[in-house]
Amino acid sequence: MRIGLLASTGGMLDSFFIEIAQSWRSYGNTVSFAAGSAMVSDEATLIPGLSRRPDPGTIRALAGLRQWAEGEDLEVIVTNSATASALVRLAGTKVPIVYFCHGLHWNELNSISDRVWPILERMLLPRTAGIISLNADDQAWFAERIESSRRLYLSAGVGLDLARYPVRDLPDGPLSLCWIGEFSPRKRPHLALEAAAELQRRGIDFHLEMLGEGVFRAQIRDEISARGLSGIVSADGPGDAAAVLADSHALVHTAQWEGLPRVMLESLAIGRGSYAFDVKGVRDIPLAQLSVDGDVEELATRIAADWESGRLRRPLTFDRDLLDYSHAADGIRQFLPTFIRTVSTTSASRREPHVE
């Protein structure tokens, strides 16, 4: 197969698809990357106008996407991220498009944005050959609109290179927690601080390390001081997520919704559980301890109870092989030929493809 892998930024391809592409190539397939910015770990065709967030210049990307598909003689395009997936489906490439949906951009249809995104996605479905989804909520939405033969569900998402996340012994000493993510409105880092304040009120001896970058980080640092949490909570910027998870007893996750939170899978691989809210995507993570969305007191209560009972000092029992990226790579590789054969038998203008 001649597969095109498309995302809005090169960083997304670097983060999620390198091991998968290497696996596909090992079977004799050709993989061509494209994005709006350069990759670090491979070479990508740069698409002018393509970025993570759409703007008036985005329309320029349509011609670039058509040129990429034709120049690489692609047989199928796998597209990831909202902006890139929308544009390539609008570009008229004459190549079957498989949407690798990391997460539909709505949760409970409570906001204006939650209502707009489903309309846009329904408009794009006629231009979508196949769907890959990662959580039960998104899978259910697509199941009402696309037949099962055109859908693939990956319960561990893109998976992990498990060698990068070896099992680590639990740390000694006081309770150690971590929060890892983007300091953004959807990730809600302020709720992690509220949970920390509640644990402090309960007299728990602990430390919370908040790892990441984003628009709220400076505000969070000010709030740490204002709440009297200096020395208990730190937010020093980006760092080594695997190392921070290994030094923690558990991960705290506060997002409003997710596709499938990769950091929670990384936590599982290392042998750490997660405390989070019962929202889309998050509820699909094995062994996660879930609280009512936004109920910080319940979240803190669960953490405190599990620490005092000794539960957080005991290793998790979980088959980490289920998280290996090979499952995603093999599943997608076996899923894609269906769409290539469909196009080949209905279009005399394209030569019969070689399918591995």
Side-chain angles (χ1 to χ4, degrees), residues 15 20 31 95 110 125 148 150 177-178 189 205 226 228 238 255 262 264 267 272 275-276 279 283-284 298 301:
S15 297
I20 288 176
V31 180
V95 178
N110 294 324
L125 284 180
S148 60
R150 295 167 55 202
L177 302 169
C178 62
D205 183 11
R262 184 180 176 90
M264 295 179 76
S267 183
R272 308 294 183 264
Y275 293 83
V279 296
R283 64 174 62 104
D284 293 87
E298 181 185 357
T301 297

Side-chain angles (χ1 to χ4, degrees), residues 39-271:
M39 296 177 66
V40 172
S41 53
D42 208 305
E43 183 176 348
T45 298
L46 297 184
I47 308 296
L50 179 57
S51 63
R52 186 175 176 183
R53 301 186 186 282
D55 59 44
T58 298
I59 194 70
R60 294 183 297 148
L62 299 177
L65 289 166
R66 289 192 294 270
Q67 291 169 6
W68 168 60
E70 293 170 5
E72 297 291 335
D73 194 22
L74 299 177
E75 294 178 306
V76 64
I77 293 174
V78 179
T79 180
N80 178 252
S81 66
T83 303
S85 71
L87 287 171
V88 74
R89 286 182 284 177
L90 292 171
T93 64
K94 296 183 170 57
V95 178
I97 309 296
V98 175
Y99 179 22
F100 193 125
C101 178
H102 267 190
L104 291 170
H105 277 228
W106 63 85
N107 187 17
E108 302 294 343
L109 303 181
N110 294 324
S111 68
I112 294 176
S113 175
D114 282 348
R115 291 176 172 84
V116 170
W117 279 108
I119 294 172
L120 295 176
E121 189 57 43
R122 282 197 297 270
M123 292 171 60
L124 292 168
L125 284 180
R127 299 169 179 262
T128 309
I131 291 290
I132 302 170
S133 58
L134 310 185
N135 67 62
D137 291 79
D138 289 350
Q139 171 73 349
W141 191 86
F142 285 120
E144 294 179 356
R145 295 161 177 84
I146 293 182
E147 59 269 27
S148 60
S149 62
R150 295 167 55 202
R151 290 184 278 112
L152 176 65
Y153 177 50
L154 299 176
S155 60
V158 295
L160 305 172
D161 179 356
L162 292 178
R164 296 172 56 192
Y165 303 96
V167 176
R168 301 293 192 189
D169 291 337
L170 288 160
D172 296 324
L175 173 62
S176 179
L177 302 169
C178 62
W179 182 98
I180 301 172
E182 185 178 25
F183 285 74
S184 66
R186 184 166 67 84
K187 300 294 186 177
R188 303 189 296 189
H190 299 86
L191 295 185
L193 276 192
E194 291 182 24
E198 180 64 21
L199 289 171
Q200 183 191 44
R201 189 188 68 78
R202 293 166 181 259
I204 303 293
D205 183 11
F206 76 99
H207 181 265
L208 169 65
E209 182 168 357
M210 301 184 71
L211 193 70
E213 195 56 270
V215 295
F216 284 159
R217 192 170 74 85
Q219 188 180 103
I220 288 293
R221 287 173 63 88
D222 291 341
E223 193 172 341
I224 289 171
S225 178
R227 285 178 174 268
L229 294 170
S230 298
I232 298 174
V233 181
S234 59
D236 297 328
D240 185 338
V244 170
L245 285 165
D247 289 339
S248 303
H249 291 93
L251 172 74
V252 178
H253 196 78
T254 55
Q256 185 178 20
W257 62 267
E258 291 280 7
L260 192 72
R262 184 180 176 90
V263 70
M264 295 179 76
L265 299 179
E266 294 169 356
S267 183
L268 261 181
I270 286 173

Side-chain angles (χ1 to χ4, degrees), residues 13-36:
L13 296 171
D14 285 321
S15 297
F16 301 124
F17 290 106
I18 296 304
E19 294 88 0
I20 288 176
Q22 289 172 345
S23 175
W24 292 345
R25 287 167 173 162
S26 73
Y27 282 89
N29 301 295
T30 299
V31 180
S32 171
F33 291 108

Side-chain angles (χ1 to χ4, degrees), residues 293-337:
D293 187 23
D295 191 335
V296 173
E297 184 174 349
E298 181 185 357
L299 186 73
T301 297
R302 286 179 177 273
I303 295 171
D306 287 347
W307 178 248
E308 291 169 346
S309 70
R311 181 178 180 274
L312 280 172
R313 298 181 182 87
R314 295 192 291 270
L316 289 180
T317 301
F318 180 75
D319 182 4
R320 65 194 301 269
D321 178 68
L322 298 172
L323 304 177
D324 192 85
Y325 72 85
S326 61
H327 303 300
D330 291 345
I332 301 170
R333 179 174 54 80
Q334 295 165 21
F335 182 58
L336 296 181

